[in-house]
Amino acid sequence: MTNITGWAFTEAYKPPDGGYAWFILLSCFLVFGLTFGVIKAFGVFYVEIQRYFATTATGTSWITSIAVATIHVGAPVASALSARYSHRSVVFMGGLLCSFGVITGAFARNLIELYITVGFLNGFGYALTWTPTVTMLGLYFEKRRPVANALASAGECILTFIFTPFFQLLIDSYSWRGAMLVLGGLQFNLCVCGMLLRPLNATREVTHLNSTKTCEETPDLTTKAQHPDNYTLITNSRFMVYSMFGVFAALGFFAPALFLVPYARSQGIEEYQAAALMSISAVLDLIGRVSFGWFANLRLVETVQQLTATVILLGTVLLLCPLASSFLELAIFSAAYGLVYGATVSIHITVLAEVVGVHRLGSALGFFMLIRSSGGLLGPPIAGQREKERCFYPDFFDQVFAKKFPTVHAATLARFQVDINNVQ
């Protein structure tokens, strides 16, 4: 209750968990697909760009690495701009920037220009679209938040399933430059996603102290929720430990998907079959996100325990990659990888909301993305360097990501669980 010059304000806020929240979910679904879905399907471009510029796998991988790192570094900027202006306007501008970056990248004369356009400009546009949309989703859902996050992130795998063969078809028909022009046009749809983000208003009951008359005011809660004490998150041990998990997760989240198609091509598999591997992975990714998001919503186990289990399974699956060489074996690997990957990413934002509280999700998400940016930047180039040194893609999957990083994932999450228990 707040007393201001004779008026008493009683603030009551409750996420709707329905109604217009489903349109916010639709917007987030499309944003996931047009950002991270494009990143995962971009491996189809790698072979053509590498051949055109006569470069190495490491040189090509820096395009995606810069984009991923810029998404993470730009996330706090997106949170601050959303607080200053609005989520809708920030996402709209991000969509324009994404399209501009990819379209200008289609005319790049060297790799440096691709780094600037498709890497930096496009990546910063992704940050401006993804961060505010995910924050709005968290504000609109509470009871159904785990399944809402899972359904929204399913846009990544569904559009990956569609984009991978579609990009290959575009490359065969119009070259990689023409395919990028089409991709730039598709990303204008991010502006439409931004227009769906209607501010969530909290209802305040206003009562005059000298009378029984009541009225209602509806200030914008989303702006209020975005004025966080950002720097105090550094002193939150649970948040910082979870952020360390984010660093190691980012090292391994993107590289396997980016190098699956080139690895398959190196094993003598024809281009459309190699592209089909990503589609298979995307289908099982979708099943993993929805099913494990639904399971998390049942609250049968703590979400951090579920996350630990799926991370260990993900490392185990990657250990098996060097054993696959035929299309059938790689298809089985892709299916298993997609299922466990989807199970992992479907709940990691839900865990973050539980760590800091939904009222600080916007600032925490931006700060979390900033901390883990180093992992997103270094992951693909490390993979490309392993391929360059060994000329053998399985060595990358086996030695780098399967043996080392998932082990650190599990150890970090175990430490995080101990910290939760101590707090409780």
Side-chain angles (χ1 to χ4, degrees), residues 65-216:
S65 294
I66 292 171
V68 171
T70 307
I71 294 172
H72 290 75
V73 174
V77 178
S79 295
L81 290 174
S82 298
R84 177 64 179 85
Y85 301 102
S86 70
H87 295 75
R88 176 181 289 171
S89 59
V90 172
V91 173
F92 187 89
M93 291 303 299
L96 293 178
L97 188 59
C98 289
S99 296
F100 176 76
V102 174
I103 290 173
T104 53
F107 301 96
R109 295 164 295 180
N110 51 58
L111 279 178
I112 300 298
E113 293 180 0
L114 281 175
Y115 295 159
I116 295 172
T117 55
V118 182
F120 177 73
L121 290 179
N122 187 41
F124 189 63
Y126 284 169
L128 295 181
T129 56
W130 186 83
T131 309
T133 309
V134 172
T135 302
M136 285 285 281
L137 186 69
L139 293 172
Y140 265 87
F141 286 93
E142 182 178 19
K143 292 181 180 179
R144 297 171 176 168
R145 187 177 298 135
V147 73
N149 282 326
L151 290 173
S153 66
E156 176 183 332
C157 39
I158 290 177
L159 290 190
T160 298
F161 173 80
I162 297 172
F163 283 157
T164 305
F166 179 59
F167 288 165
Q168 186 64 60
L169 179 62
L170 289 176
I171 291 171
D172 291 343
S173 301
Y174 305 110
S175 81
W176 67 269
R177 293 185 184 275
M180 278 196 180
L181 287 174
V182 175
L183 174 58
L186 286 173
Q187 291 193 315
F188 274 119
N189 289 289
L190 289 168
C191 299
V192 179
C193 296
M195 297 304 295
L196 289 173
L197 300 183
R198 190 171 71 186
L200 178 62
N201 295 323
T203 300
R204 287 185 178 181
E205 183 183 291
V206 185
T207 308
H208 195 278
L209 296 179
N210 298 323
S211 69
T212 59
K213 181 180 179 181
T214 63
C215 62
E216 289 187 345

Side-chain angles (χ1 to χ4, degrees), residues 237-306:
S237 61
R238 296 174 62 195
F239 173 76
M240 292 305 296
V241 170
Y242 191 68
S243 296
M244 291 302 101
F245 157 74
V247 172
F248 295 111
L251 279 165
F253 268 8
F254 303 102
L258 292 174
F259 284 90
L260 181 59
V261 173
Y263 167 53
R265 294 284 295 273
S266 73
Q267 297 298 303
I269 296 173
E270 65 98 11
E271 56 190 21
Y272 279 98
Q273 282 188 325
L277 293 174
M278 283 303 303
S279 297
I280 293 170
S281 178
V283 171
L284 272 296
D285 189 350
L286 171 62
I287 295 173
R289 291 177 194 239
V290 175
S291 59
F292 283 86
W294 170 79
F295 180 78
N297 208 64
L298 297 177
R299 313 288 182 178
L300 298 178
V301 298
E302 293 188 17
T303 49
V304 68
Q305 294 175 337
Q306 181 178 332

